[in-house]
Amino acid sequence: MEARRILVANELTSYRQAIAVVLREHHPNVEVLEVHPETLDREVARLGPDLVICSRVTAVVEERAANWIELYPECRPFSTFYIDGERRAMEDVQLSDLLSVWARVLQRAP
């Protein structure tokens, strides 16, 4: 069985680190990787994560990531989720929302 991966590449560094810590604590058997947003495309192509959390979705993320969250782009109060082929916008996203999304992704067979 291949490792399940989350790639966290959102701005600010402290937010990225906090999100990664919470995800690791709740899902210790999942590989949670923090990367700088500038390396997002390269890491998505290299790692093939199950979920990407980033501040700006790129063409590479849209093309190669099955699931992604564009979290507070340009510090605006909304986020866009693309999970299981469905896109939706959401305001005031909390850590609990990110955990719920990951639980949904985990339910699917790898």
Side-chain angles (χ1 to χ4, degrees):
M1 178 182 213
E2 217 175 291
R4 303 303 296 261
R5 289 188 185 102
I6 303 173
L7 186 61
V8 184
N10 62 300
E11 297 285 352
L12 301 162
T13 302
S14 58
Y15 291 175
R16 181 170 60 246
Q17 291 170 340
I19 290 168
V21 165
V22 169
L23 289 168
R24 285 181 188 120
E25 286 178 4
H26 282 81
H27 299 282
N29 296 326
V30 172
E31 189 175 4
V32 179
L33 303 139
E34 300 170 55
V35 301
H36 193 276
E38 290 177 9
T39 63
L40 176 61
D41 288 346
R42 181 178 68 229
E43 296 302 319
V44 166
R46 183 175 76 86
L47 297 167
D50 299 287
L51 175 65
V52 174
I53 300 171
C54 58
S55 296
R56 280 177 238 77
V57 170
T58 66
V60 172
V61 171
E62 285 190 301
E63 180 181 308
R64 302 201 57 181
N67 304 286
W68 51 261
I69 299 169
E70 186 177 49
L71 189 62
Y72 296 127
E74 298 178 23
C75 298
R76 289 180 269 170
F78 67 89
S79 300
T80 302
F81 290 68
Y82 183 81
I83 308 298
D84 295 331
E86 296 177 27
R87 184 185 304 250
R88 69 181 172 108
M90 187 173 178
E91 288 190 68
D92 299 321
V93 172
Q94 304 295 315
L95 279 171
S96 60
D97 299 313
L98 300 179
L99 290 168
S100 293
V101 165
W102 180 241
R104 181 175 166 188
V105 170
L106 277 177
Q107 288 177 351
R108 292 190 353 248

